[in-house]
């Protein structure tokens, strides 16, 4: 799972990770939030609230959460075949996944600086009120993120951050294939 404050670049990083590693499979979330003007439309499955709520009633999500007035969720089934599933989600959803899958791995993605985070949020085309709302929740998201995270990666440059995550994943896969012997 990739978690981290809004504007930190998790989406771009997730895309880069699946491009670089064909054993990773990126889940496409559902959301009730409206599409941003800067989005193409394939970032999420954009649905009405009633559609989302009826999918909750039918147990069609691995996890879901309400974040700043909108619903977000990971639809089931999560992946074809043997792939390692990559989720780009907020911290309440990550906590649910961790409870059900204690072996899941959480990467907290940090911005190089708070100024950069603010600039990136403004560059997405959201209203100033929305940017202010996102920034006000950042300290809380970071505090919970640090509690949950197995690894903390600074997204100073997407290529470098992707390579850092992939080398950690490689090490984890090695351990999964050859678990250390117990005494
Ligand atoms: P945004 O509206 O900026 O695209 O996303 C808001 C937050 O929701 C981000 O932290 C993003 O990672 C998170 N998010 C996206 N998809 C999901 C999901 O399926 N489940 C949960 N719990 N959070 C998600």
């Amino acid at each position: 799972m990739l978690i981290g404050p809004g504007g930190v670049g998790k989406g771009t990083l997730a895309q880069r990770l699946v491009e670089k590693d064909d054993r990773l499979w990126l889940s496409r979330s559902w959301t009730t939030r409206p599409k941003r003007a800067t989005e193409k439309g394939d970032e999420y499955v954009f649905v009405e609230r009633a559609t989302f709520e009826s999918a909750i009633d039918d147990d069609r999500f691995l996890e879901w959460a309400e974040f700043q007035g909108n619903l977000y969720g990971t639809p089931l089934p999560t992946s074809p075949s043997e792939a390692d599933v990559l989720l780009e989600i907020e911290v309440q959803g990550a906590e649910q996944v961790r409870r059900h899958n204690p072996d899941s791995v959480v990467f907290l993605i940090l911005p190089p600086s708070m100024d950069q985070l603010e600039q990136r949020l403004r560059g997405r085309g959201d209203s100033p009120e929305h940017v202010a709302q996102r920034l006000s929740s950042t300290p809380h998201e970071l505090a919970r993120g640090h509690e949950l995270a197995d690894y903390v990666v600074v997204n100073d440059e997407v290529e470098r951050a992707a390579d850092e995550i992939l080398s950690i994943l490689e090490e984890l896969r090695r351990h999964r294939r050859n678990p250390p012997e117990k005494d």
Side-chain angles (χ1 to χ4, degrees), residues 52-113:
F52 199 114
E53 285 172 348
S54 105
I56 295 174
D57 291 342
D58 294 342
D59 281 334
R60 285 172 53 202
F61 292 109
L62 173 72
E63 60 70 39
W64 65 271
E66 179 144 19
F67 181 79
Q68 303 207 326
N70 295 304
L71 300 173
Y72 295 85
T74 304
L76 289 165
T78 49
S79 83
S81 73
E82 295 291 287
D84 286 328
V85 182
L86 180 63
L87 303 180
E88 188 248 294
I89 63 179
E90 54 67 63
V91 70
Q92 305 167 72
E95 285 166 352
Q96 293 174 45
V97 175
R98 168 54 65 74
R99 268 199 298 280
H100 297 302
N101 303 279
D103 292 344
S104 54
V105 182
V106 177
F107 292 89
L108 172 64
I109 311 301
L110 294 183
S113 73

Side-chain angles (χ1 to χ4, degrees), residues 2 4-6 10 29-30 33 36 39 44 63-65 67 72-74 88-90 92-94 124 134 141:
L2 302 184
K10 284 172 295 184
S29 299
W30 284 31
R33 105 156 144 65
R36 294 190 185 109
E39 288 177 325
Y44 287 100
E63 60 70 39
W64 65 271
F67 181 79
Y72 295 85
T74 304
E88 188 248 294
I89 63 179
E90 54 67 63
Q92 305 167 72
R124 294 204 299 204
R134 280 307 285 267
E141 283 176 59

Side-chain angles (χ1 to χ4, degrees), residues 114-146:
M114 284 301 153
D115 279 354
Q116 280 219 15
L117 189 70
E118 190 167 342
Q119 273 170 28
R120 269 146 115 167
L121 275 173
R122 290 193 199 291
R124 294 204 299 204
D126 287 340
S127 68
E129 297 75 36
H130 189 90
V131 171
Q133 194 188 18
R134 280 307 285 267
L135 283 172
S136 69
S137 68
T138 300
H140 178 69
E141 283 176 59
L142 285 178
R144 278 175 85 175
H146 274 289

